[in-house]
Amino acid sequence: MNSLRKRKKLYPVNVIKNSPLKKDVYYLQVSYSHEFKPGQVVALALNPEDDPRLYSIASGKDENGISILFDINPDGELTPTLAQLKEGDQIYISEPFGKFLCQETPAMWIATGTGIAPFVSIVKSGNGENVTLLHGSRRLDAFYFQDLFHEHFGKNYLRFCTSEKAEGIIEGRLTQYLKDQDSLPDNYMYYLCGSSQMVIDVREILIEKGIPFDRIIAEIYF
């Protein structure tokens, strides 16, 4: 992480809004003038001398400033303080970078938790055609931006919940859904974003189903 701080220059930005989406999950909007490509990340720190953490941009490219989606790690040094930020407070972020750029080709997007963030940015930027989105969560209140995705994808937006039931929600893990498929399109691109274990599990399933390794693009959230 020290090498990241030396490599990426951090710029001061001001908080525009810090909105709780549920307990311990926030959507933070900051002033920002650099252009970005949907799917990119920024390095973020409370102070310019701190080691930054990476966050996917979770806002459309034409919105005022940029936003990130984060959950609080009670033992972390950064997120408990991020959750306390108010309008006008200052933090530091880098210019956007990264290659999790979903091509305009038929694709399957697969996300859990706050790993939905880059897909929020892509859809809010007017992209994401010919896509099926698999969205996994333990609880019903953690399908962040589900209204956005339901409007955009319709029947191609599939939600999977492991601990609660509701109409329109598929019970169980998205990994089981993938295992149960007789086949998966081998001409699709597959974009995975979420925990390391989810990415590992889904990648193994896709490869077992005959998906070429170079068609699987992953972004891991620690």
Side-chain angles (χ1 to χ4, degrees):
M1 189 63 75
N2 285 331
S3 62
L4 174 62
R5 177 167 57 85
K6 293 176 181 178
R7 188 167 64 250
K8 297 296 181 184
K9 182 178 179 179
L10 300 179
Y11 300 87
V13 297
N14 293 321
V15 172
I16 297 174
K17 191 175 183 180
N18 196 15
S19 306
L21 300 186
K22 55 169 286 191
K23 183 181 179 182
D24 296 338
V25 177
Y26 286 78
Y27 190 56
L28 175 66
Q29 182 183 14
V30 299
S31 60
Y32 199 67
S33 58
H34 292 292
E35 293 185 359
F36 67 88
K37 296 178 181 179
Q40 288 188 312
V41 303
V42 291
L44 182 152
L46 296 171
N47 301 288
E49 66 273 10
D50 294 345
D51 290 334
R53 296 296 303 272
L54 300 184
Y55 289 93
S56 290
I57 297 170
S59 50
K61 60 184 180 181
D62 295 326
E63 294 182 28
N64 180 29
I66 65 165
S67 300
I68 63 165
L69 179 64
F70 70 92
D71 52 7
I72 298 175
N73 177 358
D75 300 321
E77 297 181 359
L78 178 60
T79 54
T81 303
L82 282 184
Q84 300 299 317
L85 293 176
K86 307 295 183 185
E87 180 181 355
D89 288 344
Q90 189 174 82
I91 58 174
Y92 293 81
I93 62 176
S94 71
E95 293 186 14
F97 63 100
K99 298 180 180 180
F100 194 75
L101 308 175
C102 298
Q103 304 173 22
E104 288 298 312
T105 59
M108 184 174 289
W109 296 351
I110 302 170
T112 55
T114 55
I116 200 68
F119 303 131
V120 173
S121 180
I122 294 166
V123 171
K124 283 192 169 188
S125 298
N127 302 324
E129 301 302 321
N130 300 315
V131 168
T132 296
L133 171 57
L134 308 187
H135 193 178
S137 173
R138 291 195 183 114
R139 302 184 64 86
L140 294 172
D141 63 358
F143 289 111
Y144 312 120
F145 297 92
Q146 61 182 323
D147 292 343
L148 171 73
F149 295 126
H150 184 72
E151 179 180 355
H152 186 80
F153 294 118
K155 65 181 181 179
N156 289 331
Y157 174 45
L158 306 180
R159 292 166 291 174
F160 301 83
C161 191
T162 57
S163 65
E164 297 180 307
K165 299 179 181 180
E167 184 178 355
I169 304 295
I170 301 171
E171 185 179 356
R173 298 181 181 276
L174 60 82
T175 48
Q176 188 60 51
Y177 171 84
L178 290 169
K179 288 179 182 178
D180 291 342
Q181 302 306 300
D182 292 334
S183 62
L184 294 169
D186 59 8
N187 62 329
Y188 275 31
M189 294 296 296
Y190 292 80
Y191 294 93
L192 288 49
C193 193
S195 70
S196 58
Q197 192 60 56
M198 184 279 283
V199 168
I200 291 169
D201 292 345
V202 170
R203 183 187 283 133
E204 289 180 354
I205 294 168
L206 295 178
I207 291 173
E208 289 175 359
K209 295 286 186 181
I211 304 304
F213 188 81
D214 61 0
R215 288 190 169 274
I216 305 170
I217 312 297
E219 187 103 305
I220 294 176
Y221 274 44
F222 296 94

